[in-house]
Amino acid sequence: MGEVDPAFIQAEEHRPKLESTEAQGIPLIDLSDLSNDIVKKVGDACRDWGFFQVINHGVPLEKRDQIFKASREFFGQKLEDKNKVRRSEKEVMGYYDTEHTKNVRDWKEVFDFTMEIPTLFPSSHQVYNQWPPYPPQLREDCEEYGKEMERLGYLLMEVIAKSLGVKAERFHGFFKDQTSFIRLNHYPACPVPQLALGVGRHKDAGALTILAQDDVGGLQVKRKSDGVWVLVNPIPNSYIINVGDIIQVWSNERYESVEHRVKVNGEKERFSVPFFFNPSHYTMVQPLEEMTDEHNPAKYKPYNWGNFLATRKLSNFKKLDVDNIQISHFKISDLADK
Ligand SMILES: O=C(O)CCC(=O)C(=O)O
Ligand SMILES: [Fe+2]
């Protein structure tokens, strides 16, 4: 990435401290026992943290190892080779190294691919994958891994539905024609880890994120109880799950999408692979009827997910002079607060 471009430098109040608290308390849940106890544990974690880790999730280790290996091989190429699948304003999937979060450049490079091909977006936004020639097995590894993520995504949505007291399949219909995508993240070692971030503070806009990280560590979560940034410990072969903005809206804020960011390392590079489980573009996102009643009215106006996603993707692609789209724009202000 060469000289440190000022575009990477975070405002002082957002700079990471070099030492940071380890996340004592982020729940670790064993999914092999699908009893009510798990439902309660997942529900409590969604409410108290917006984050949890899972083990015994059923994703074969071999599939995870393969996608990490392919990712390392892909990013290890020369820039001119990675540029063969470069993302553009129109081709929203593929490689790029200029993502901005809240208008500050992230210290990372990414490769995005979508699950359904072509993902059904509004006709102006047909989404196709761009597969690189090298490494040759990357496409197959990605597609195989994607199937595992989808399976785990549905399973987790069932547990979350039960924890909210609605029927297990309540959310399934929203994911027909889903706009889910997977991102390969590479965070190179950074000469100024105290000034830049791998990903600036943000909340995930989709429904649910399932993240695999390597053993380097760097993901930090803003702890709900006190606002302190705590590090999510890498646990071998576990997945980090977080509630996205859409679950916050569907649950009418029973669960909250929590801010997180990625610190970079002065010596070590880091790899991670998030799966963003997203509904169809034509989903009107709004609180579930079951989550509202006269004492607990809907806190959000319905919004169209496809438009939200397209607007957010454009603002992450290039620096804009306005703040990017947020669910707070659809919040119904409470008369009692006025
Ligand atoms: O790499 C990570 O640990 C997290 C990345 C992330 O938060 C994101 O891509 O939304
Ligand atoms: Fe994120």
Side-chain angles (χ1 to χ4, degrees), residues 289-338:
E289 264 172 39
E290 302 91 313
M291 295 288 108
T292 63
D293 59 33
E294 61 198 286
H295 304 295
N296 202 2
K299 293 186 161 71
Y300 293 88
K301 294 182 273 203
Y303 64 91
N304 175 278
W305 167 245
N307 288 342
F308 189 100
L309 181 59
T311 310
R312 178 64 75 83
K313 279 206 166 276
L314 182 68
S315 69
N316 289 356
F317 182 69
K318 57 181 183 188
K319 190 171 187 313
L320 300 176
D321 290 331
V322 288
D323 283 348
N324 59 8
I325 188 164
Q326 304 289 346
I327 52 168
S328 56
H329 302 162
F330 302 97
K331 182 125 187 186
I332 297 170
S333 48
D334 188 348
L335 284 175
D337 287 348
K338 282 190 180 160

Side-chain angles (χ1 to χ4, degrees), residues 265-277:
N265 194 295
E267 287 96 49
K268 290 186 194 161
E269 60 181 345
R270 173 174 180 264
F271 293 85
S272 74
V273 183
F275 164 70
F276 299 103
F277 198 31

Side-chain angles (χ1 to χ4, degrees), residues 2 13 29 42 71 80 130 209 254 299 308 325 333:
E13 67 272 28
I29 299 174
V42 167
S71 170
E80 64 186 81
Q130 306 193 72
T209 306
R254 289 261 292 275
K299 293 186 161 71
F308 189 100
I325 188 164
S333 48

